[in-house]
Amino acid sequence: MANPKRAWKLQEFTAHGADVKCVGLGHKSGRVMVTGGDDRKVNLWSVGKPHCIMSLTGHTTSIEAVRFGHAEEMVIAGSLSGALKVWDLEQAKILRTLTGHKAGIKSLDFHPYGDYAASGSMDCNVKLWDIRRKGCIYTYKSHTGCVNCLRFSPDGRWIASAGEDDVVKLWDLTAGKLLTDLKLHKGPVNVVEFHPHELLLASGSSDRTIKFWDLETFQLVSSTEGDSTGIRSIAFHPDGMCLYSGSHDMLKVYGWEPVHCFDAVSIGWSDVCDMSISNTQMIGASFYKTNVSSFVVNLESVRPLGGSQATNSNRRESSGLSNSRKIFVTERPPTQSTKQASEPKQSDEPAEKTEEGEDASAADIQNPAEYRELFQGNIRQACSVTLQGVGFFQKQPEQVTGTLSENEVLDFIANGHNAMMTVMSNRSRNLQIVRAMWTSGNLKTAIDSAISMNDPAVLVDVVNILNLKTSLWNLDLCTILLPKLKELMSSKYECYVVTAGQAIKLVIRNMGQTIKTNLTAPPGIGVDISREERNKKCSRCHTALMDIRSMIEKRRDAAGKLASLYKEILLLMSTLD
């Protein structure tokens, strides 16, 4: 039997009316691609099809960097002027325009959790952005050359940045400072990637080597021998068994303990700019002038995943995966720079003036059917799976088994179980992030993070802890949480309402008199900034409490446990009059 084909060119098409400057693949599905060009457009494509799905406009200079969000629900694009734009693909609209860099954007990444992004620029700086608040949280200054690539760690606590200055830098987000410099490359570092599980980092350079770094000791684990050309793109296998390296017309596959090249595949993708792995295939993308090309590699015919009769256990052993290295978990012992963590804050640097605004931005859907399938169908499908699983458990067993076969019933159970496991895993992961910020001394940041996750279950868990620790409540916390407590009071889940109600009672008992006194006190003499700030916070708290009162008064006739809760809250509210 003939050997299966290992790699082939999928397509080549004209992507822009001027030179293409950047290409990014969707790393979740491998089905979508985003391109940026000198024509100042950001275009979206379905991999393998030559017709543009949607064109995003609004930038006033060429697009230099693009990247999908982890769920492929957002796209961020950076321009030569240093401005960034974030689009919501499901809603087909601009979310944010972010300015602050003094030169063109070279690299972008989304934080794995929460509404945050990072950008690396030709101004040598890395910026961390809060997408919700349209602001720069922190600017990391240490590189002396362009920041070619940056990546968030899987646990969201670090950023690795690769510089034209031959250095890889590791930044601690919680502390807002540099952890370490990794300096052994002899040429510009083009790309960095974190191992999906282990505390391991890979960096690829124009010096034609890939270096593997231990993130517990910050020491070199191993280094590949000089390739024939510089390393342009790297990607860990999702299982972490090996690293794929893309250079000029070549794909190589490496293990690292000890360093070993498993396989090499000749493929005419010139200088590949991005690679995405989906199931048993790798998609690679490159560009030249106005054209973009995509390529497919059949990983089942490439070692160590395929190309031999090795079992999965043998693949792991041969790949050099470490059984002793720690994995990315938020409970790992804090590094020195995280022990004295400071709260992330809005940057005090003035934003660079730009003509780019959200009003001038547009999303032009050119292929409605494919747009709905790729960017709206995913949400419907996910909801369908989850609801199917939940719906099954709401039925009586005899209602289900009377119409379905045994295998179909088991499939329903498995779907429900998988959906629930996904929900609980996400909740656990989010709580670990909040806990890490909380235990490092950043209570306000931890609360902000819990709110930004848009997961009511996580917020309820956090509020339950705060209800037990009354000493933690202050005006800042009340200002942040009261609007969210109002939302929880409207929940269909009684336990959410009870938790929110207990918190509201606690706020009124502990802070109600302070709020009332500040609002009724006569104006002070002279300028007292702290007093004015306190009054603003008290006013916001009072407004939120009055909104809650209005909502509860409409439900005061409720029966059962909630009726008693509502009466208690309204009685306490009367002390604010």
Side-chain angles (χ1 to χ4, degrees):
M1 182 182 293
N3 290 331
K5 194 172 183 180
R6 304 222 292 173
W8 61 93
K9 188 174 187 175
L10 182 62
Q11 69 171 151
E12 181 175 357
F13 61 95
T14 301
H16 289 268
D19 284 353
V20 177
K21 305 294 288 187
C22 52
V23 175
L25 290 164
H27 292 97
K28 179 183 179 183
S29 69
R31 295 182 58 197
V32 289
M33 179 190 301
V34 58
T35 62
D38 257 339
D39 57 4
R40 299 170 292 178
K41 292 182 179 180
V42 178
N43 292 337
L44 275 77
W45 313 83
S46 178
V47 172
K49 298 182 181 180
H51 306 295
C52 180
I53 300 172
M54 184 161 55
S55 188
L56 310 172
T57 58
H59 276 293
T60 58
T61 54
S62 66
I63 313 301
E64 301 293 314
V66 288
R67 191 157 178 89
F68 278 105
H70 295 282
E72 297 173 2
E73 82 287 18
M74 289 189 291
V75 155
I76 186 170
S79 70
L80 187 62
S81 69
L84 297 92
K85 288 183 181 290
V86 184
W87 280 273
D88 183 325
L89 300 181
E90 295 162 14
Q91 301 295 325
K93 67 178 183 181
I94 182 75
L95 277 181
R96 293 288 182 260
T97 297
L98 306 168
T99 59
H101 279 294
K102 298 181 174 71
I105 306 299
K106 185 70 173 180
S107 50
L108 297 164
D109 198 20
F110 280 96
H111 192 276
Y113 327 116
D115 297 327
Y116 303 96
S119 57
S121 169
M122 288 182 276
D123 65 9
C124 307
N125 294 335
V126 174
K127 286 184 179 288
L128 179 64
W129 304 89
D130 185 329
I131 296 173
R132 294 174 301 118
R133 299 182 180 179
K134 306 171 65 172
C136 176
I137 298 174
Y138 215 95
T139 300
Y140 303 95
K141 301 179 179 181
S142 182
H143 279 290
T144 58
C146 175
V147 182
N148 292 326
C149 180
L150 52 81
R151 292 289 181 266
F152 285 99
S153 61
D155 62 1
R157 298 183 68 183
W158 293 344
I159 290 178
S161 58
E164 196 74 15
D165 52 8
D166 308 353
V167 178
V168 176
K169 293 180 180 289
L170 200 64
W171 309 89
D172 187 307
L173 300 188
T174 308
K177 63 174 65 174
L178 182 67
L179 271 180
T180 190
D181 286 333
L182 306 174
K183 293 184 174 180
L184 296 180
H185 279 294
K186 304 298 182 184
V189 188
N190 300 319
V191 61
V192 287
E193 289 289 347
F194 285 93
H195 190 280
H197 314 302
E198 297 183 2
L199 287 171
L200 184 79
L201 179 75
S203 56
S205 168
S206 294
D207 67 9
R208 302 181 296 171
T209 70
I210 297 170
K211 298 190 185 299
F212 298 91
W213 309 89
D214 188 308
L215 297 180
E216 293 180 73
T217 63
F218 304 129
Q219 298 298 311
L220 183 71
V221 173
S222 60
S223 177
T224 64
E225 296 181 1
D227 209 323
S228 57
T229 61
I231 310 301
R232 307 304 306 174
S233 183
I234 57 176
F236 279 101
H237 187 277
D239 291 340
M241 66 172 66
C242 60
L243 179 88
Y244 297 96
S245 166
S247 57
H248 188 82
D249 288 342
M250 183 64 67
L251 173 73
K252 288 190 175 181
V253 191
Y254 290 103
W256 47 89
E257 286 182 319
V259 69
H260 175 67
C261 182
F262 293 114
D263 213 338
V265 181
S266 179
I267 180 169
W269 55 21
S270 188
D271 289 333
V272 61
C273 59
D274 199 9
M275 302 186 298
S276 174
I277 299 171
S278 179
N279 296 322
T280 59
Q281 288 187 333
M282 169 183 284
I283 304 296
S286 61
F287 59 89
Y288 178 72
K289 293 190 175 179
T290 61
N291 285 5
V292 169
S293 300
S294 60
F295 300 80
V296 178
V297 180
N298 177 15
L299 298 181
E300 288 188 320
S301 63
V302 178
R303 292 184 299 272
L305 185 64
S308 72
Q309 300 301 317
T311 64
N312 286 336
S313 60
N314 288 337
R315 287 172 187 164
R316 178 176 177 88
E317 183 178 353
S318 64
S319 67
L321 283 173
S322 170
N323 291 316
S324 60
R325 182 175 292 113
K326 292 183 179 180
I327 63 173
F328 280 105
V329 289
T330 54
E331 285 87 356
R332 72 176 183 274
T335 57
Q336 182 177 357
S337 60
T338 60
K339 291 179 182 177
Q340 300 296 329
S342 58
E343 179 181 323
K345 57 186 178 180
Q346 297 295 107
S347 172
D348 55 3
E349 297 180 8
E352 292 294 300
K353 291 184 178 180
T354 175
E355 297 178 359
E356 301 184 2
E358 294 172 17
D359 294 340
S361 303
D364 178 17
I365 300 173
Q366 301 182 13
N367 193 325
E370 200 157 344
Y371 162 74
R372 286 193 296 270
E373 177 188 352
L374 288 173
F375 300 116
Q376 293 185 326
N378 290 338
I379 297 302
R380 291 197 302 272
Q381 182 179 6
C383 291
S384 173
V385 170
T386 302
L387 292 174
Q388 183 186 44
V390 173
F392 171 75
F393 290 107
Q394 290 174 339
K395 298 177 182 178
Q396 296 298 321
E398 60 270 15
Q399 291 178 304
V400 179
T401 56
T403 57
L404 299 177
S405 69
E406 182 178 342
N407 287 337
E408 288 173 324
V409 171
L410 291 174
D411 286 341
F412 269 118
I413 294 174
N415 286 337
H417 173 76
N418 292 337
M420 183 58 67
M421 284 298 295
T422 300
V423 171
M424 297 306 294
S425 295
N426 289 338
R427 182 175 177 183
S428 174
R429 182 183 60 194
N430 289 339
L431 285 171
Q432 287 178 350
I433 296 168
V434 174
R435 181 190 175 195
M437 294 181 178
W438 193 322
T439 55
S440 65
N442 291 327
L443 175 58
K444 185 175 180 296
T445 305
I447 302 302
D448 282 335
S449 178
I451 292 172
S452 71
M453 291 169 182
N454 292 321
D455 186 342
V458 171
L459 187 58
V460 167
D461 288 337
V462 171
V463 173
N464 272 322
I465 299 299
L466 291 172
N467 286 345
L468 297 175
K469 296 183 176 292
T470 59
S471 61
L472 294 176
W473 287 87
N474 54 38
L475 277 177
D476 285 329
L477 211 58
C478 293
T479 304
I480 297 170
L481 280 176
L482 280 172
K484 296 300 175 182
L485 293 178
K486 178 189 174 186
E487 294 177 13
L488 292 177
M489 290 292 290
S490 301
S491 173
K492 63 182 179 180
Y493 301 112
E494 183 177 296
C495 60
Y496 288 12
V497 178
V498 170
T499 295
Q502 290 172 345
I504 291 167
K505 290 193 296 180
L506 190 152
V507 168
I508 299 172
R509 288 191 184 113
N510 291 353
M511 307 297 298
Q513 191 60 40
T514 300
I515 293 170
K516 181 178 179 180
T517 301
N518 275 273
L519 292 179
T520 57
I525 300 175
V527 177
D528 187 341
I529 296 177
S530 62
R531 182 180 185 279
E532 291 177 4
E533 287 296 320
R534 187 168 60 252
N535 279 356
K536 287 181 182 178
K537 293 173 185 176
C538 289
S539 177
R540 290 172 62 184
C541 290
H542 187 269
T543 300
L545 288 169
M546 292 303 102
D547 289 342
I548 293 171
R549 172 194 260 182
S550 176
M551 181 186 71
I552 292 177
E553 285 177 341
K554 296 176 183 178
R555 304 180 180 186
R556 63 190 313 163
D557 296 330
K561 185 177 180 179
L562 294 184
S564 174
L565 177 67
Y566 291 156
K567 289 177 182 177
E568 285 184 62
I569 294 175
L570 290 176
L571 184 61
L572 288 170
M573 288 277 193
S574 64
T575 62
L576 299 176
D577 295 333

